[in-house]
Amino acid sequence: MNSTSAEIVKTYDWQCNDCKSCLVCQSKNDEDKIVICNHCDRGYHTFCCDPPLKHIPKGK
């Protein structure tokens, strides 16, 4: 995480990866479908993204 990302994370209640919920629907269900943004460190279900992601992206 770079310094810009660290500043963004300080603007909201941070969640560890084990506790992370989807920012859109607030659900922790379907944990295997939650992707974490490299920029803001928030979690999103692949199906809650707009447009929905068909697959979890590889790499970062």
Side-chain angles (χ1 to χ4, degrees), residues 1-2 6 11 21 23 27 29 42 47 51 57:
M1 187 178 306
N2 62 39
T11 65
S21 60
L23 182 68
S27 173
N29 294 337
R42 293 177 175 141
F47 48 85

Side-chain angles (χ1 to χ4, degrees), residues 3-34:
S3 61
T4 305
S5 297
E7 292 303 315
I8 291 169
V9 170
K10 291 178 184 178
T11 65
Y12 63 90
D13 291 335
W14 180 82
Q15 295 176 317
C16 72
N17 288 348
D18 291 335
C19 300
K20 203 156 303 259
S21 60
C22 175
L23 182 68
V24 177
C25 71
Q26 305 300 310
S27 173
K28 294 179 185 176
N29 294 337
D30 297 308
E31 181 180 343
D32 60 323
K33 302 283 189 215
I34 292 179

Side-chain angles (χ1 to χ4, degrees), residues 24 35 44-55 57:
V24 177
V35 293
Y44 300 88
H45 285 116
T46 55
F47 48 85
C48 288
C49 292
D50 186 21
L53 298 176
K54 293 182 181 183
H55 306 286

